[in-house]
């Protein structure tokens, strides 16, 4: 751009942004990088850092925000780590990275000549998040979509992930740039879709299921968060948001409901105190079993 000294396409200023050049696969008449059609996606798969070793990659997704993807990601990583597997978290929610807070991580990630080293949690989970790279975690990230997607890709290519059995990717909400980048660029072995009991949210979660189908990504199952609260006196389960319809939606799409998580103040307190790894999470047993089974495939 005339009189500009920066990359207009990837900045947040108000200059006139030129249309980016489309990325096309041979024989296609559209922008392959930004579509969800079934053309040759294999050409977009990116290899991780040459020093990385990653066996299975699981995306934690939803059609909207506020349903608990980061909590499910944290619990799945913590529980598999507790079982003796090496787990890792790639925090792809660049503009709302909450994983470091849940794990109580305050140190910064650092780089070597070979790549960036992830931060290790108290119990051994490897974590990479934008909040581990910036000086002030409360500073907003005012980036355009392509820059955010590029950062997520760099977490895959530039970070040295050592002997990882399960990498969990905490996705941002929706079906935009970052999920598309992850699904096209990383070899994702399956996704877990997170929802909550409200009918509106259950409707929106279908978007995530349909996107996964379009991208040929296996759906491991659905986790419903905030499913109920247990009365501390009588143990009765109270459905704060009314009766769930998630079983109906799961049946329609041929997927399994892996867990129904309660509303539990103790969990919120653990996350706020950076102690998510101490949450027992017995209600996640089926979800963990489903993920562990991937090692046999």
């Amino acid at each position: 751009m005339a009189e500009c000294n920066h990359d207009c396409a990837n900045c947040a200023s108000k200059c006139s942004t030129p249309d980016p050049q489309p990325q096309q696969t041979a024989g296609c008449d559209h922008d392959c990088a930004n579509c969800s059609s079934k053309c040759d996606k294999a050409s977009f798969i990116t290899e991780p850092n040459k020093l990385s070793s990653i066996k299975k990659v699981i995306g934690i997704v939803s059609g909207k925000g506020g349903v608990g993807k980061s909590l499910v990601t944290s619990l799945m990583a913590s529980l598999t780590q507790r079982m003796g597997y090496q787990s890792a978290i790639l925090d792809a929610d660049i503009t709302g990275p909450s994983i470091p807070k849940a794990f109580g991580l305050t140190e910064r990630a650092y780089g070597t000549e070979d790549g960036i080293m992830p931060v290790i949690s108290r119990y051994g989970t490897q974590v990479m998040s934008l909040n581990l790279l910036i000086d002030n975690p409360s500073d907003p990230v005012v980036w355009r979509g392509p820059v955010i997607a590029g950062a997520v890709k760099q977490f895959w290519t530039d970070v040295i992930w050592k002997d990882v059995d399960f990498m969990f990717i905490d996705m941002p909400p929706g079906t935009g740039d970052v999920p598309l980048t992850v699904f096209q660029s990383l070899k994702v072995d399956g996704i877990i879709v997170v929802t909550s009991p409200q009918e509106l949210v259950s409707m929106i979660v279908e978007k995530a299921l349909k996107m996964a189908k379009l991208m040929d990504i296996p759906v491991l199952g659905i986790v419903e968060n905030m499913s109920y609260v247990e009365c501390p006196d009588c143990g009765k389960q109270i459905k704060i948001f009314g009766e769930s319809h998630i079983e109906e939606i799961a049946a329609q799409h041929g997927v399994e409901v892996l867990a129904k998580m309660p509303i539990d103040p103790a969990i919120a307190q653990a996350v706020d105190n950076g102690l998510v790894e101490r949450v027992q999470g017995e209600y996640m047993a089926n979800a963990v079993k489903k993920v562990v089974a991937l090692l046999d495939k």
Side-chain angles (χ1 to χ4, degrees):
M1 295 298 298
E3 300 181 359
C4 274
N5 61 0
H6 57 269
D7 181 359
C8 302
N10 294 324
C11 78
S13 65
K14 295 183 179 180
C15 58
S16 176
T17 302
D19 293 332
Q21 292 297 313
Q23 182 177 358
Q24 290 187 335
T25 303
C28 281
D29 58 358
H30 56 270
D31 182 357
C32 301
N34 294 317
C35 79
S36 57
S37 65
K38 295 184 178 181
C39 56
D40 186 15
K41 294 186 187 67
S43 61
F44 297 115
I45 294 296
T46 303
E47 293 297 321
N49 186 287
K50 63 182 180 180
L51 298 179
S52 292
S53 173
I54 306 164
K55 292 180 181 177
K56 299 296 178 181
V57 178
I58 300 95
I60 310 297
V61 307
S62 184
K64 72 178 298 295
V67 296
K69 291 183 298 299
S70 296
L71 175 59
V72 171
T73 302
S74 300
L75 289 176
M76 291 299 296
S78 299
L79 293 171
T80 50
Q81 186 77 24
R82 194 179 298 166
M83 293 175 66
Y85 298 102
Q86 177 59 65
S87 67
I89 296 177
L90 190 160
D91 189 357
D93 195 355
I94 298 295
T95 59
S98 55
I99 294 295
K101 172 69 173 175
F103 282 83
L105 303 177
T106 56
E107 64 180 288
R108 304 269 76 81
Y110 65 93
T112 70
E113 61 182 12
D114 296 314
I116 302 171
M117 304 305 298
V119 174
I120 309 300
S121 74
R122 290 184 185 89
Y123 295 94
T125 296
Q126 300 174 40
V127 179
M128 177 50 61
S129 170
L130 187 67
N131 267 12
L132 300 176
L133 296 172
I134 60 179
D135 292 331
N136 187 355
S138 65
D139 285 346
V141 178
V142 188
W143 293 352
R144 292 186 185 274
V147 181
I148 294 174
V152 171
K153 201 169 179 179
Q154 282 186 284
F155 286 173
W156 175 255
T157 59
D158 295 3
V159 175
I160 301 173
W161 302 99
K162 293 186 177 180
D163 302 319
V164 173
D165 294 305
F166 301 109
M167 171 180 282
F168 298 94
I169 303 181
D170 184 15
M171 297 276 206
T175 55
D177 281 338
V178 171
L180 186 59
T181 295
V182 170
F183 288 164
Q184 286 188 321
S185 302
L186 280 59
K187 188 180 180 300
V188 179
D189 296 283
I191 65 169
I192 293 175
V193 180
V194 184
T195 184
S196 57
Q198 303 98 313
E199 190 167 347
L200 174 63
V201 177
S202 297
M203 177 191 70
I204 292 174
V205 80
E206 292 194 66
K207 293 181 181 293
L209 292 171
K210 290 177 180 178
M211 182 180 187
K213 184 177 181 180
L214 283 171
M215 303 298 294
D216 292 327
I217 304 294
V219 178
L220 301 180
I222 300 174
V223 170
E224 183 179 77
N225 189 25
M226 299 178 282
S227 184
Y228 60 91
V229 62
E230 188 173 292
C231 175
D233 295 323
C234 67
K236 179 181 179 181
Q237 293 185 1
I238 304 169
K239 309 293 179 64
I240 298 293
F241 297 108
E243 290 299 325
S244 169
H245 300 281
I246 197 61
E247 287 89 355
E248 300 167 19
I249 293 175
Q252 290 172 9
H253 292 271
V255 298
E256 181 182 354
V257 177
L258 298 174
K260 290 192 172 185
M261 297 171 56
I263 300 172
D264 187 347
I267 297 176
Q269 185 177 20
V271 172
D272 288 343
N273 293 330
L275 300 174
V276 72
E277 291 172 289
R278 296 185 184 178
V279 175
Q280 293 303 306
E282 61 278 356
Y283 36 77
M284 299 296 291
N286 286 337
V288 171
K289 182 178 179 181
K290 189 86 170 185
V291 166
V292 169
L294 291 174
L295 288 178
D296 297 328
K297 296 181 180 180

